[in-house]
């Protein structure tokens, strides 16, 4: 394991900051409601991929600057050029965007989306691909691909969204492209909680901190099983979890927890 370059840095598209083993990624093009570009897709994909080896990060908060989460693909920098590409280039692009979701789902750290304002298109996908989601009452989440003449099956939406909110509700959002309000999202299980705007980032970072203080290896195993067991039978899932839990029982954190319990103390997990 190694540190992910530095505790704080930024690109043209987002800021990165690590504090107390919690990384906060802030999309930072507020004048355009934090859209994504070809470059930022690749930068985010590579950042989440490198989290597989980042021992200094145990949880990630993903948010946007300026009262919005993310408005999706930049109309001028992405959508315009896409209309002029041939099929091989289009496939390279769609596979790259899918790779971002794959890296978010397979990095060992739980990812928490803090959603305010506009959360649309690929921005909605970023929130969907996160492990936990918190929102403000002003959050509007729209899988609006159909509104630009595209299918709703973008970046894993047809696989992941029905598992979060159910087939019927997901179908409605993907066929119509309409916005899901924060309170709909809460009632449907998309958002874990809706909080006032001024409390959003604190809420997400506090949850991330609580996760970071837990057994990192065991959390990574939980995330892996949650992702892996989508395509398994109950029998396969039982075997997967039996193997995962037996491995966790060999960790020092498991022994620390037992010793702390016996001493009537709170365990201090080290992630090994």
């Amino acid at each position: 394991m190694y540190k992910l370059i530095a505790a704080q840095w930024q690109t043209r598209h987002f800021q990165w900051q690590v504090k107390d083993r919690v990384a906060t990624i802030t999309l930072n093009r507020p004048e355009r409601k934090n859209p994504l570009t070809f470059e930022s897709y690749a930068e985010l994909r590579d950042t989440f991929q490198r989290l597989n080896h980042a021992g200094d990060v145990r949880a990630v908060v993903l948010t946007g600057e300026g009262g919005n989460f993310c408005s999706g693909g930049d109309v001028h920098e992405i959508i315009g050029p896409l209309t002029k590409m041939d099929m091989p280039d289009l496939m390279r692009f769609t596979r790259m965007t899918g790779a971002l979701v794959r890296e978010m789902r397979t990095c060992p750290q739980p990812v928490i989306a803090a959603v305010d304002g506009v959360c649309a298109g690929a921005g909605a996908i970023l929130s969907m691909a996160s492990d936990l989601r918190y929102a403000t009452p002003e959050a509007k989440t729209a899988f609006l691909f159909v509104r630009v003449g595209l299918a709703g099956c973008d970046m894993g939406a047809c696989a992941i969204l029905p598992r979060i909110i159910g087939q019927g509700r997901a179908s409605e959002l993907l066929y119509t492209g309409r916005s899901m309000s924060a309170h709909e999202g809460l009632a449907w299980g998309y958002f874990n909680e809706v909080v006032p705007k001024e409390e959003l980032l604190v809420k997400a970072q506090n949850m991330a901190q609580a996760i970071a203080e837990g057994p990192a290896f065991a959390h990574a195993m939980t995330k892996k099983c949650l992702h892996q067991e989508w395509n398994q039978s109950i029998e396969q899932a039982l075997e997967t979890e039996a193997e995962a839990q037996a491995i966790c029982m060999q960790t020092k954190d498991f022994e620390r927890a037992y010793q702390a319990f016996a001493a009537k103390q709170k365990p201090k997990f080290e992630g090994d």
Side-chain angles (χ1 to χ4, degrees):
M1 292 291 183
Y2 58 82
K3 290 188 176 181
L4 197 72
I5 302 178
Q8 187 170 349
W9 49 277
Q10 70 177 52
T11 71
R12 186 167 73 94
H13 308 96
F14 66 87
Q15 299 170 343
W16 165 276
Q17 184 173 18
V18 178
K19 182 179 179 182
D20 298 329
R21 298 179 294 189
V22 172
T24 300
I25 298 174
T26 306
L27 303 177
N28 64 350
R29 295 180 67 195
E31 72 283 356
R32 301 285 296 278
K33 300 180 182 178
N34 307 314
L36 298 178
T37 67
F38 294 117
E39 186 180 1
S40 61
Y41 271 118
E43 289 172 344
L44 286 168
R45 175 202 61 197
D46 294 346
T47 297
F48 279 102
Q49 197 281 327
R50 292 165 70 185
L51 281 167
N52 283 281
H53 310 288
D56 57 328
V57 177
R58 293 193 178 181
V60 178
V61 173
L62 180 60
T63 191
E65 193 174 301
N68 292 291
F69 184 70
C70 176
S71 57
D74 189 291
V75 173
H76 301 293
E77 295 190 46
I78 285 190
I79 297 179
L82 288 176
T83 64
K84 300 176 175 63
M85 287 185 185
D86 58 18
M87 181 57 76
D89 283 340
L90 290 170
M91 286 299 301
R92 276 188 283 273
F93 170 71
T94 54
R95 284 171 175 156
M96 177 182 70
T97 63
L100 168 55
V101 171
R102 182 184 67 237
E103 299 302 342
M104 289 181 68
R105 296 306 313 142
T106 57
C107 73
Q109 299 86 351
V111 180
I112 301 171
V115 180
D116 188 18
V118 172
C119 176
I125 297 292
L126 291 179
S127 69
M128 178 197 75
S130 299
D131 297 280
L132 300 172
R133 288 161 291 275
Y134 296 101
T136 69
E138 294 77 19
K140 291 180 171 57
T141 305
F143 298 83
L144 46 64
F145 308 104
V146 67
R147 290 167 58 183
V148 295
L150 296 177
C153 53
D154 195 86
M155 299 172 69
C158 286
I160 300 174
L161 189 60
R163 289 177 165 89
I164 300 173
I165 64 174
Q167 186 81 10
R169 289 164 176 160
S171 297
E172 180 194 351
L173 295 183
L174 296 176
Y175 281 128
T176 66
R178 77 166 179 86
S179 292
M180 173 179 62
S181 72
H183 291 291
E184 279 181 314
L186 179 64
W188 293 355
Y190 189 82
F191 292 119
N192 295 83
E193 190 173 341
V194 173
V195 300
K197 183 184 293 280
E198 62 274 13
E199 298 177 16
L200 176 65
L201 190 56
V202 172
K203 175 67 179 182
Q205 289 179 331
N206 284 346
M207 174 56 76
Q209 188 61 54
I211 290 172
E213 291 174 357
F217 182 89
H219 283 335
M221 192 68 79
T222 297
K223 179 169 180 175
K224 181 178 180 180
C225 287
L226 280 169
H227 180 71
Q228 184 174 313
E229 290 175 28
W230 282 357
N231 296 317
Q232 293 185 342
S233 67
I234 292 298
E235 289 76 12
Q236 291 169 324
L238 290 169
E239 180 60 21
T240 294
E241 295 190 9
E243 293 171 0
Q245 204 70 302
I247 292 170
C248 288
M249 290 171 182
Q250 292 185 312
T251 63
K252 293 180 181 178
D253 271 348
F254 181 59
E255 185 177 347
R256 288 186 189 102
Y258 168 71
Q259 292 172 347
F261 178 81
K264 297 183 179 180
Q265 297 174 348
K266 183 178 179 180
K268 184 177 180 180
F269 295 114
E270 300 294 339
D272 59 351

